[in-house]
Amino acid sequence: MTGPRRDAGQAWAVGQPRAAAAGVAPASSVGSAGGSIYDLGYRNYEGPRLGRPHAIRALFAQTLKVCYGIGRGGRAKLAPFILLAFATIPAIVAVGAFALIRQVGGGQFAEEASPVRHDTYYEIVATLVTLFCAVQAPEALGRDQRHQLLSLYFSRALRRSDYALARFAGIAAAILVFVLIPQLVIFFGLVLSADDVAAEFGREAEFLPGIFGQALVLAGLLGGLSAVVSAYTPRRVYATTAVIVVLSVTVVVSRVLIDLGARSLATVLALLSPVDLLSATNALWFGSRPESRVVFMADLPLEAFLAAAVVIVAACVGILVRRYERIAA
Amino acid sequence: MPLITLDALTKRYPGVTALDALTLEIEPAIVGLVGSNGAGKSTLLKILLGLLAPTSGRATIFDLDVRTRGTEIRQFVGYLPEHDALPPDTSATDFVSHMAEISGLPRAAARERTAEVLRHVGLYEERYRAMGGYSTGMKQRVKLAQAIVHDPRLLLLDEPTNGLDPAGRDEMLELVQRTGTEFGMTVVVASHLLGEIERVCDFLVAIEGGRLLRAARLATFTEQTGVLAVEVDDGADELAAALVSRGLDARAVGRTVLVAFEDDRPYDLVRDAVADLDLPLIRLEQRRHRLEDLFAEAHSGEPAA
């Protein structure tokens, strides 16, 4: 929507005060608080107004930035970047080790024996991703409630549901970046250190659907759950604790149930437990054996876990939208 | 054509009616929305912004319904809330330009407008610092800046001088006046401080208990009536009755009889009545009809003006 002033002329026929104000440049400086000795006067904005789609994009981009502490001083960057570093270091070390071993000619053997591979990486960083969600989702959502910013957002070119969706998408994107960076380090590290780069790329490319598929499920599931918890828990400390509990308590419960012999109940819980679900989808994407004992024992096809994950993501988004439709602003 | 129209706008909470069938048209101007705390001022602003849904009735801005065309309307509306609304870990520049983008301005334009608007509200080098360290006055300026950064056509200010010291109040009121005159925005200022509103507004809307007391040009509020205060030692009630029987609008408040007057006629009538009743007259004083009187009348159950 460009030039709204003119094409909306009949809708808001104000005109007069604007015309009167145009070109007026009083020399007064309000507040006289600084060193300004001249004042250009107020200028009206005549440029484009991009409306709701732009507002949604801007909010999404800002959420991604908030999750990494960008634009909020050095301290806010500490937690996300330290976690990201911890998640990436094993990948860098593994890639370095491959490169060395390849030079002495033991490449194929080293790759198969290495504990750091595309299909095992989710298990390696699971705890770090959980911590990242627990610390950063409350930043993205709780901040607006703590500092009463919702009334400013909702009184702009956004709908309440837009706000909820843009924030969720931003959190999910931040998690996506978090899990993709180490995977891509391995990917490019292996490809570029190979003797035959093209052949290695062809071999590695088979992992790409798995890498991206698992990252998407992970981002949606953990992002959705931690966003819902954060939306209902403005206080950061409580939100962080609550996210950790929600993301891990079901695992503990299902383990206990199995040990007690209540297998069918454990199976149901496995379908609700994010850790087990992700273990199952990881096995599905990479065609490997699931790490989770519960998934292994539950007599269900792995696709069922993927379906359950999708349902949970959809439910989280629904709850989130509903929460922001009703929250007082 | 009016900028804002309210048609039997009603908002009920369980047990409380915040707005009671408010019908009103607001033309482009600097409009003071006055009423005591809890009169329904904030509720009205929030309904206009789409932050609250009305129980019944209709409100339009730019001839668009606030319930269905909210995102379009709000590209051209600025809002300064009554409460604190600033993230302490962010700088004024980053915050205001983010808010400009959420209002639909492209990124580059948002940055440019932010620099300009922060200068207009009187924030200079501080604008790159985190807002947590700002004084109340500076915070209030940032709140105003975020409300005008997208050059709205309508600006809704909820108690803009809240928490400011006298000097800060003066500066804020001067800014409010500039946004209305020089910046060319229609401004609605909600306040319970009549003295402040009187200084900046051309139009006044008085509400009380969710009902409209009066809406008129400020000039007509003050010029239209004077009040003659007649203080007597005793017999105030008799004097009031005598004056009413002579066709004056008079009422006794303690030992004083307040007589509304538009011309010089009451002076003679008061003199005669006092003489007839043989009352000890202490003082005869002409009072400017002040805005507070509107509310005094409303509270004592009489219709306003």
Side-chain angles (χ1 to χ4, degrees), chain B residues 237-271:
Chain B
D237 293 328
E238 290 95 317
L239 179 60
L243 291 173
V244 169
S245 70
R246 284 163 211 230
L248 289 178
D249 177 9
R251 63 195 166 96
V253 179
R255 297 194 308 175
T256 309
V257 177
L258 297 176
V259 186
F261 75 104
E262 279 146 38
D263 49 35
D264 286 342
R265 201 171 56 97
Y267 286 104
D268 290 347
L269 293 174
V270 167
R271 180 200 61 205

PDB file of all heavy atoms in Angstrom, chain B residues 237-271:
ATOM      1  N   ASP B 237     -30.285  28.807  52.692  1.00  0.00           N
ATOM      2  CA  ASP B 237     -31.321  28.047  52.002  1.00  0.00           C
ATOM      3  C   ASP B 237     -32.499  28.934  51.600  1.00  0.00           C
ATOM      4  O   ASP B 237     -33.023  28.830  50.494  1.00  0.00           O
ATOM      5  CB  ASP B 237     -31.824  26.904  52.901  1.00  0.00           C
ATOM      6  CG  ASP B 237     -30.729  25.859  53.107  1.00  0.00           C
ATOM      7  OD1 ASP B 237     -29.918  25.683  52.174  1.00  0.00           O
ATOM      8  OD2 ASP B 237     -30.692  25.247  54.189  1.00  0.00           O
ATOM      9  N   GLU B 238     -32.894  29.844  52.543  1.00  0.00           N
ATOM     10  CA  GLU B 238     -34.004  30.749  52.222  1.00  0.00           C
ATOM     11  C   GLU B 238     -33.637  31.634  51.035  1.00  0.00           C
ATOM     12  O   GLU B 238     -34.453  31.862  50.137  1.00  0.00           O
ATOM     13  CB  GLU B 238     -34.358  31.653  53.429  1.00  0.00           C
ATOM     14  CG  GLU B 238     -35.005  30.925  54.584  1.00  0.00           C
ATOM     15  CD  GLU B 238     -33.992  30.500  55.630  1.00  0.00           C
ATOM     16  OE1 GLU B 238     -32.903  30.015  55.231  1.00  0.00           O
ATOM     17  OE2 GLU B 238     -34.270  30.643  56.839  1.00  0.00           O
ATOM     18  N   LEU B 239     -32.386  32.131  51.066  1.00  0.00           N
ATOM     19  CA  LEU B 239     -31.949  33.010  49.985  1.00  0.00           C
ATOM     20  C   LEU B 239     -31.980  32.271  48.642  1.00  0.00           C
ATOM     21  O   LEU B 239     -32.479  32.805  47.642  1.00  0.00           O
ATOM     22  CB  LEU B 239     -30.529  33.528  50.273  1.00  0.00           C
ATOM     23  CG  LEU B 239     -29.932  34.442  49.204  1.00  0.00           C
ATOM     24  CD1 LEU B 239     -30.790  35.690  49.006  1.00  0.00           C
ATOM     25  CD2 LEU B 239     -28.508  34.832  49.562  1.00  0.00           C
ATOM     26  N   ALA B 240     -31.488  31.040  48.636  1.00  0.00           N
ATOM     27  CA  ALA B 240     -31.489  30.268  47.400  1.00  0.00           C
ATOM     28  C   ALA B 240     -32.913  30.095  46.887  1.00  0.00           C
ATOM     29  O   ALA B 240     -33.186  30.283  45.700  1.00  0.00           O
ATOM     30  CB  ALA B 240     -30.838  28.905  47.646  1.00  0.00           C
ATOM     31  N   ALA B 241     -33.835  29.753  47.822  1.00  0.00           N
ATOM     32  CA  ALA B 241     -35.230  29.556  47.432  1.00  0.00           C
ATOM     33  C   ALA B 241     -35.801  30.848  46.852  1.00  0.00           C
ATOM     34  O   ALA B 241     -36.492  30.829  45.816  1.00  0.00           O
ATOM     35  CB  ALA B 241     -36.047  29.103  48.647  1.00  0.00           C
ATOM     36  N   ALA B 242     -35.486  31.996  47.522  1.00  0.00           N
ATOM     37  CA  ALA B 242     -35.999  33.268  47.051  1.00  0.00           C
ATOM     38  C   ALA B 242     -35.482  33.593  45.653  1.00  0.00           C
ATOM     39  O   ALA B 242     -36.237  34.096  44.804  1.00  0.00           O
ATOM     40  CB  ALA B 242     -35.593  34.372  48.037  1.00  0.00           C
ATOM     41  N   LEU B 243     -34.188  33.279  45.432  1.00  0.00           N
ATOM     42  CA  LEU B 243     -33.610  33.583  44.122  1.00  0.00           C
ATOM     43  C   LEU B 243     -34.195  32.694  43.038  1.00  0.00           C
ATOM     44  O   LEU B 243     -34.446  33.131  41.912  1.00  0.00           O
ATOM     45  CB  LEU B 243     -32.083  33.433  44.175  1.00  0.00           C
ATOM     46  CG  LEU B 243     -31.361  34.491  45.011  1.00  0.00           C
ATOM     47  CD1 LEU B 243     -29.891  34.160  45.139  1.00  0.00           C
ATOM     48  CD2 LEU B 243     -31.550  35.876  44.416  1.00  0.00           C
ATOM     49  N   VAL B 244     -34.416  31.427  43.383  1.00  0.00           N
ATOM     50  CA  VAL B 244     -35.017  30.518  42.409  1.00  0.00           C
ATOM     51  C   VAL B 244     -36.414  31.014  42.037  1.00  0.00           C
ATOM     52  O   VAL B 244     -36.796  31.013  40.866  1.00  0.00           O
ATOM     53  CB  VAL B 244     -35.066  29.072  42.951  1.00  0.00           C
ATOM     54  CG1 VAL B 244     -35.932  28.180  42.062  1.00  0.00           C
ATOM     55  CG2 VAL B 244     -33.659  28.498  43.061  1.00  0.00           C
ATOM     56  N   SER B 245     -37.141  31.500  43.049  1.00  0.00           N
ATOM     57  CA  SER B 245     -38.504  31.992  42.761  1.00  0.00           C
ATOM     58  C   SER B 245     -38.457  33.237  41.877  1.00  0.00           C
ATOM     59  O   SER B 245     -39.431  33.575  41.228  1.00  0.00           O
ATOM     60  CB  SER B 245     -39.247  32.294  44.073  1.00  0.00           C
ATOM     61  OG  SER B 245     -38.674  33.440  44.673  1.00  0.00           O
ATOM     62  N   ARG B 246     -37.325  33.933  41.868  1.00  0.00           N
ATOM     63  CA  ARG B 246     -37.194  35.082  40.970  1.00  0.00           C
ATOM     64  C   ARG B 246     -36.605  34.694  39.607  1.00  0.00           C
ATOM     65  O   ARG B 246     -36.184  35.551  38.834  1.00  0.00           O
ATOM     66  CB  ARG B 246     -36.293  36.144  41.617  1.00  0.00           C
ATOM     67  CG  ARG B 246     -37.024  36.913  42.704  1.00  0.00           C
ATOM     68  CD  ARG B 246     -36.054  37.638  43.604  1.00  0.00           C
ATOM     69  NE  ARG B 246     -36.633  37.702  44.953  1.00  0.00           N
ATOM     70  CZ  ARG B 246     -36.717  38.832  45.652  1.00  0.00           C
ATOM     71  NH1 ARG B 246     -36.264  39.964  45.177  1.00  0.00           N
ATOM     72  NH2 ARG B 246     -37.259  38.816  46.851  1.00  0.00           N
ATOM     73  N   GLY B 247     -36.518  33.387  39.409  1.00  0.00           N
ATOM     74  CA  GLY B 247     -36.118  32.928  38.072  1.00  0.00           C
ATOM     75  C   GLY B 247     -34.624  32.745  37.882  1.00  0.00           C
ATOM     76  O   GLY B 247     -34.147  32.662  36.753  1.00  0.00           O
ATOM     77  N   LEU B 248     -33.860  32.647  38.963  1.00  0.00           N
ATOM     78  CA  LEU B 248     -32.424  32.421  38.813  1.00  0.00           C
ATOM     79  C   LEU B 248     -32.089  30.966  39.104  1.00  0.00           C
ATOM     80  O   LEU B 248     -32.818  30.280  39.817  1.00  0.00           O
ATOM     81  CB  LEU B 248     -31.646  33.314  39.783  1.00  0.00           C
ATOM     82  CG  LEU B 248     -31.633  34.807  39.472  1.00  0.00           C
ATOM     83  CD1 LEU B 248     -30.871  35.548  40.539  1.00  0.00           C
ATOM     84  CD2 LEU B 248     -31.029  35.078  38.102  1.00  0.00           C
ATOM     85  N   ASP B 249     -30.933  30.530  38.552  1.00  0.00           N
ATOM     86  CA  ASP B 249     -30.440  29.187  38.844  1.00  0.00           C
ATOM     87  C   ASP B 249     -29.529  29.313  40.060  1.00  0.00           C
ATOM     88  O   ASP B 249     -28.376  29.723  39.937  1.00  0.00           O
ATOM     89  CB  ASP B 249     -29.682  28.667  37.616  1.00  0.00           C
ATOM     90  CG  ASP B 249     -29.070  27.304  37.862  1.00  0.00           C
ATOM     91  OD1 ASP B 249     -29.379  26.700  38.916  1.00  0.00           O
ATOM     92  OD2 ASP B 249     -28.284  26.847  37.017  1.00  0.00           O
ATOM     93  N   ALA B 250     -30.068  29.018  41.231  1.00  0.00           N
ATOM     94  CA  ALA B 250     -29.299  29.220  42.460  1.00  0.00           C
ATOM     95  C   ALA B 250     -29.380  27.990  43.336  1.00  0.00           C
ATOM     96  O   ALA B 250     -30.378  27.264  43.322  1.00  0.00           O
ATOM     97  CB  ALA B 250     -29.835  30.430  43.212  1.00  0.00           C
ATOM     98  N   ARG B 251     -28.276  27.726  44.050  1.00  0.00           N
ATOM     99  CA  ARG B 251     -28.346  26.644  45.019  1.00  0.00           C
ATOM    100  C   ARG B 251     -27.414  26.960  46.184  1.00  0.00           C
ATOM    101  O   ARG B 251     -26.399  27.658  46.016  1.00  0.00           O
ATOM    102  CB  ARG B 251     -27.993  25.300  44.382  1.00  0.00           C
ATOM    103  CG  ARG B 251     -26.598  25.204  43.855  1.00  0.00           C
ATOM    104  CD  ARG B 251     -26.479  24.002  42.927  1.00  0.00           C
ATOM    105  NE  ARG B 251     -25.262  24.068  42.170  1.00  0.00           N
ATOM    106  CZ  ARG B 251     -24.131  23.447  42.518  1.00  0.00           C
ATOM    107  NH1 ARG B 251     -24.077  22.705  43.596  1.00  0.00           N
ATOM    108  NH2 ARG B 251     -23.051  23.554  41.782  1.00  0.00           N
ATOM    109  N   ALA B 252     -27.796  26.445  47.346  1.00  0.00           N
ATOM    110  CA  ALA B 252     -27.024  26.722  48.545  1.00  0.00           C
ATOM    111  C   ALA B 252     -26.000  25.627  48.750  1.00  0.00           C
ATOM    112  O   ALA B 252     -26.317  24.447  48.649  1.00  0.00           O
ATOM    113  CB  ALA B 252     -27.944  26.810  49.749  1.00  0.00           C
ATOM    114  N   VAL B 253     -24.752  26.046  49.011  1.00  0.00           N
ATOM    115  CA  VAL B 253     -23.701  25.102  49.375  1.00  0.00           C
ATOM    116  C   VAL B 253     -23.129  25.616  50.683  1.00  0.00           C
ATOM    117  O   VAL B 253     -22.383  26.594  50.697  1.00  0.00           O
ATOM    118  CB  VAL B 253     -22.617  25.027  48.291  1.00  0.00           C
ATOM    119  CG1 VAL B 253     -21.522  24.057  48.722  1.00  0.00           C
ATOM    120  CG2 VAL B 253     -23.207  24.589  46.955  1.00  0.00           C
ATOM    121  N   GLY B 254     -23.536  25.010  51.793  1.00  0.00           N
ATOM    122  CA  GLY B 254     -23.111  25.508  53.098  1.00  0.00           C
ATOM    123  C   GLY B 254     -23.675  26.911  53.332  1.00  0.00           C
ATOM    124  O   GLY B 254     -24.877  27.130  53.172  1.00  0.00           O
ATOM    125  N   ARG B 255     -22.768  27.859  53.642  1.00  0.00           N
ATOM    126  CA  ARG B 255     -23.227  29.230  53.879  1.00  0.00           C
ATOM    127  C   ARG B 255     -23.179  30.080  52.617  1.00  0.00           C
ATOM    128  O   ARG B 255     -23.361  31.288  52.673  1.00  0.00           O
ATOM    129  CB  ARG B 255     -22.352  29.886  54.964  1.00  0.00           C
ATOM    130  CG  ARG B 255     -22.472  29.169  56.303  1.00  0.00           C
ATOM    131  CD  ARG B 255     -21.913  29.995  57.405  1.00  0.00           C
ATOM    132  NE  ARG B 255     -20.542  30.461  57.091  1.00  0.00           N
ATOM    133  CZ  ARG B 255     -19.852  31.290  57.855  1.00  0.00           C
ATOM    134  NH1 ARG B 255     -20.395  31.780  58.952  1.00  0.00           N
ATOM    135  NH2 ARG B 255     -18.637  31.640  57.513  1.00  0.00           N
ATOM    136  N   THR B 256     -22.890  29.413  51.509  1.00  0.00           N
ATOM    137  CA  THR B 256     -22.754  30.159  50.258  1.00  0.00           C
ATOM    138  C   THR B 256     -23.873  29.773  49.297  1.00  0.00           C
ATOM    139  O   THR B 256     -24.252  28.606  49.212  1.00  0.00           O
ATOM    140  CB  THR B 256     -21.399  29.850  49.601  1.00  0.00           C
ATOM    141  OG1 THR B 256     -20.381  30.027  50.570  1.00  0.00           O
ATOM    142  CG2 THR B 256     -21.138  30.756  48.413  1.00  0.00           C
ATOM    143  N   VAL B 257     -24.392  30.774  48.609  1.00  0.00           N
ATOM    144  CA  VAL B 257     -25.367  30.495  47.558  1.00  0.00           C
ATOM    145  C   VAL B 257     -24.671  30.737  46.232  1.00  0.00           C
ATOM    146  O   VAL B 257     -24.063  31.795  46.015  1.00  0.00           O
ATOM    147  CB  VAL B 257     -26.592  31.421  47.685  1.00  0.00           C
ATOM    148  CG1 VAL B 257     -27.568  31.150  46.535  1.00  0.00           C
ATOM    149  CG2 VAL B 257     -27.279  31.208  49.023  1.00  0.00           C
ATOM    150  N   LEU B 258     -24.700  29.703  45.370  1.00  0.00           N
ATOM    151  CA  LEU B 258     -24.071  29.847  44.054  1.00  0.00           C
ATOM    152  C   LEU B 258     -25.152  30.195  43.042  1.00  0.00           C
ATOM    153  O   LEU B 258     -26.163  29.503  42.921  1.00  0.00           O
ATOM    154  CB  LEU B 258     -23.382  28.547  43.645  1.00  0.00           C
ATOM    155  CG  LEU B 258     -22.224  28.105  44.556  1.00  0.00           C
ATOM    156  CD1 LEU B 258     -21.691  26.761  44.106  1.00  0.00           C
ATOM    157  CD2 LEU B 258     -21.119  29.156  44.574  1.00  0.00           C
ATOM    158  N   VAL B 259     -24.927  31.285  42.333  1.00  0.00           N
ATOM    159  CA  VAL B 259     -25.914  31.745  41.355  1.00  0.00           C
ATOM    160  C   VAL B 259     -25.250  31.759  39.986  1.00  0.00           C
ATOM    161  O   VAL B 259     -24.216  32.395  39.794  1.00  0.00           O
ATOM    162  CB  VAL B 259     -26.398  33.175  41.705  1.00  0.00           C
ATOM    163  CG1 VAL B 259     -27.527  33.585  40.756  1.00  0.00           C
ATOM    164  CG2 VAL B 259     -26.838  33.248  43.150  1.00  0.00           C
ATOM    165  N   ALA B 260     -25.847  31.039  39.060  1.00  0.00           N
ATOM    166  CA  ALA B 260     -25.317  31.081  37.703  1.00  0.00           C
ATOM    167  C   ALA B 260     -25.775  32.377  37.050  1.00  0.00           C
ATOM    168  O   ALA B 260     -26.907  32.824  37.260  1.00  0.00           O
ATOM    169  CB  ALA B 260     -25.845  29.883  36.916  1.00  0.00           C
ATOM    170  N   PHE B 261     -24.877  32.994  36.308  1.00  0.00           N
ATOM    171  CA  PHE B 261     -25.315  34.218  35.622  1.00  0.00           C
ATOM    172  C   PHE B 261     -24.645  34.365  34.274  1.00  0.00           C
ATOM    173  O   PHE B 261     -23.528  33.899  34.042  1.00  0.00           O
ATOM    174  CB  PHE B 261     -25.051  35.447  36.496  1.00  0.00           C
ATOM    175  CG  PHE B 261     -23.593  35.849  36.564  1.00  0.00           C
ATOM    176  CD1 PHE B 261     -23.148  36.946  35.848  1.00  0.00           C
ATOM    177  CD2 PHE B 261     -22.717  35.134  37.347  1.00  0.00           C
ATOM    178  CE1 PHE B 261     -21.818  37.315  35.906  1.00  0.00           C
ATOM    179  CE2 PHE B 261     -21.387  35.507  37.403  1.00  0.00           C
ATOM    180  CZ  PHE B 261     -20.938  36.601  36.693  1.00  0.00           C
ATOM    181  N   GLU B 262     -25.375  34.981  33.368  1.00  0.00           N
ATOM    182  CA  GLU B 262     -24.839  35.213  32.044  1.00  0.00           C
ATOM    183  C   GLU B 262     -24.748  36.704  31.770  1.00  0.00           C
ATOM    184  O   GLU B 262     -24.082  37.132  30.847  1.00  0.00           O
ATOM    185  CB  GLU B 262     -25.718  34.526  30.992  1.00  0.00           C
ATOM    186  CG  GLU B 262     -25.391  33.037  30.888  1.00  0.00           C
ATOM    187  CD  GLU B 262     -26.615  32.198  30.564  1.00  0.00           C
ATOM    188  OE1 GLU B 262     -27.442  32.682  29.772  1.00  0.00           O
ATOM    189  OE2 GLU B 262     -26.727  31.082  31.103  1.00  0.00           O
ATOM    190  N   ASP B 263     -25.492  37.510  32.549  1.00  0.00           N
ATOM    191  CA  ASP B 263     -25.442  38.965  32.354  1.00  0.00           C
ATOM    192  C   ASP B 263     -25.453  39.626  33.742  1.00  0.00           C
ATOM    193  O   ASP B 263     -25.247  38.949  34.749  1.00  0.00           O
ATOM    194  CB  ASP B 263     -26.631  39.439  31.502  1.00  0.00           C
ATOM    195  CG  ASP B 263     -27.928  38.872  32.025  1.00  0.00           C
ATOM    196  OD1 ASP B 263     -28.059  38.720  33.260  1.00  0.00           O
ATOM    197  OD2 ASP B 263     -28.818  38.552  31.213  1.00  0.00           O
ATOM    198  N   ASP B 264     -25.712  40.903  33.799  1.00  0.00           N
ATOM    199  CA  ASP B 264     -25.619  41.614  35.081  1.00  0.00           C
ATOM    200  C   ASP B 264     -26.884  41.508  35.937  1.00  0.00           C
ATOM    201  O   ASP B 264     -26.904  41.954  37.080  1.00  0.00           O
ATOM    202  CB  ASP B 264     -25.338  43.109  34.817  1.00  0.00           C
ATOM    203  CG  ASP B 264     -23.890  43.304  34.388  1.00  0.00           C
ATOM    204  OD1 ASP B 264     -23.101  42.364  34.649  1.00  0.00           O
ATOM    205  OD2 ASP B 264     -23.574  44.334  33.796  1.00  0.00           O
ATOM    206  N   ARG B 265     -27.928  40.948  35.374  1.00  0.00           N
ATOM    207  CA  ARG B 265     -29.228  40.938  36.035  1.00  0.00           C
ATOM    208  C   ARG B 265     -29.187  40.383  37.471  1.00  0.00           C
ATOM    209  O   ARG B 265     -29.748  40.990  38.382  1.00  0.00           O
ATOM    210  CB  ARG B 265     -30.214  40.131  35.185  1.00  0.00           C
ATOM    211  CG  ARG B 265     -31.678  40.400  35.428  1.00  0.00           C
ATOM    212  CD  ARG B 265     -32.490  39.688  34.348  1.00  0.00           C
ATOM    213  NE  ARG B 265     -32.185  38.263  34.317  1.00  0.00           N
ATOM    214  CZ  ARG B 265     -32.913  37.338  34.927  1.00  0.00           C
ATOM    215  NH1 ARG B 265     -33.983  37.674  35.600  1.00  0.00           N
ATOM    216  NH2 ARG B 265     -32.574  36.080  34.850  1.00  0.00           N
ATOM    217  N   PRO B 266     -28.492  39.269  37.739  1.00  0.00           N
ATOM    218  CA  PRO B 266     -28.563  38.685  39.083  1.00  0.00           C
ATOM    219  C   PRO B 266     -28.097  39.624  40.197  1.00  0.00           C
ATOM    220  O   PRO B 266     -28.583  39.524  41.322  1.00  0.00           O
ATOM    221  CB  PRO B 266     -27.635  37.472  38.986  1.00  0.00           C
ATOM    222  CG  PRO B 266     -27.617  37.132  37.553  1.00  0.00           C
ATOM    223  CD  PRO B 266     -27.712  38.437  36.834  1.00  0.00           C
ATOM    224  N   TYR B 267     -27.174  40.547  39.876  1.00  0.00           N
ATOM    225  CA  TYR B 267     -26.659  41.413  40.945  1.00  0.00           C
ATOM    226  C   TYR B 267     -27.787  42.148  41.660  1.00  0.00           C
ATOM    227  O   TYR B 267     -27.889  42.137  42.887  1.00  0.00           O
ATOM    228  CB  TYR B 267     -25.658  42.429  40.380  1.00  0.00           C
ATOM    229  CG  TYR B 267     -24.323  41.811  40.023  1.00  0.00           C
ATOM    230  CD1 TYR B 267     -23.984  41.557  38.708  1.00  0.00           C
ATOM    231  CD2 TYR B 267     -23.427  41.475  41.033  1.00  0.00           C
ATOM    232  CE1 TYR B 267     -22.780  40.978  38.390  1.00  0.00           C
ATOM    233  CE2 TYR B 267     -22.207  40.897  40.734  1.00  0.00           C
ATOM    234  CZ  TYR B 267     -21.883  40.652  39.393  1.00  0.00           C
ATOM    235  OH  TYR B 267     -20.696  40.070  39.099  1.00  0.00           O
ATOM    236  N   ASP B 268     -28.674  42.775  40.897  1.00  0.00           N
ATOM    237  CA  ASP B 268     -29.786  43.506  41.501  1.00  0.00           C
ATOM    238  C   ASP B 268     -30.728  42.570  42.239  1.00  0.00           C
ATOM    239  O   ASP B 268     -31.189  42.868  43.352  1.00  0.00           O
ATOM    240  CB  ASP B 268     -30.571  44.269  40.418  1.00  0.00           C
ATOM    241  CG  ASP B 268     -29.741  45.441  39.878  1.00  0.00           C
ATOM    242  OD1 ASP B 268     -28.712  45.757  40.524  1.00  0.00           O
ATOM    243  OD2 ASP B 268     -30.114  45.991  38.828  1.00  0.00           O
ATOM    244  N   LEU B 269     -31.002  41.433  41.610  1.00  0.00           N
ATOM    245  CA  LEU B 269     -31.930  40.484  42.221  1.00  0.00           C
ATOM    246  C   LEU B 269     -31.387  39.964  43.548  1.00  0.00           C
ATOM    247  O   LEU B 269     -32.114  39.833  44.529  1.00  0.00           O
ATOM    248  CB  LEU B 269     -32.201  39.314  41.269  1.00  0.00           C
ATOM    249  CG  LEU B 269     -32.965  39.674  39.989  1.00  0.00           C
ATOM    250  CD1 LEU B 269     -33.046  38.474  39.051  1.00  0.00           C
ATOM    251  CD2 LEU B 269     -34.383  40.157  40.337  1.00  0.00           C
ATOM    252  N   VAL B 270     -30.080  39.685  43.572  1.00  0.00           N
ATOM    253  CA  VAL B 270     -29.461  39.203  44.803  1.00  0.00           C
ATOM    254  C   VAL B 270     -29.562  40.286  45.875  1.00  0.00           C
ATOM    255  O   VAL B 270     -29.950  40.021  47.015  1.00  0.00           O
ATOM    256  CB  VAL B 270     -27.987  38.802  44.552  1.00  0.00           C
ATOM    257  CG1 VAL B 270     -27.236  38.607  45.871  1.00  0.00           C
ATOM    258  CG2 VAL B 270     -27.918  37.531  43.706  1.00  0.00           C
ATOM    259  N   ARG B 271     -29.224  41.542  45.481  1.00  0.00           N
ATOM    260  CA  ARG B 271     -29.296  42.647  46.439  1.00  0.00           C
ATOM    261  C   ARG B 271     -30.705  42.769  47.037  1.00  0.00           C
ATOM    262  O   ARG B 271     -30.880  42.827  48.253  1.00  0.00           O
ATOM    263  CB  ARG B 271     -28.914  43.951  45.728  1.00  0.00           C
ATOM    264  CG  ARG B 271     -28.945  45.190  46.599  1.00  0.00           C
ATOM    265  CD  ARG B 271     -29.047  46.427  45.752  1.00  0.00           C
ATOM    266  NE  ARG B 271     -30.290  46.401  44.975  1.00  0.00           N
ATOM    267  CZ  ARG B 271     -30.471  47.057  43.827  1.00  0.00           C
ATOM    268  NH1 ARG B 271     -29.485  47.754  43.300  1.00  0.00           N
ATOM    269  NH2 ARG B 271     -31.625  47.005  43.182  1.00  0.00           N
TER     270      ARG B 271
END
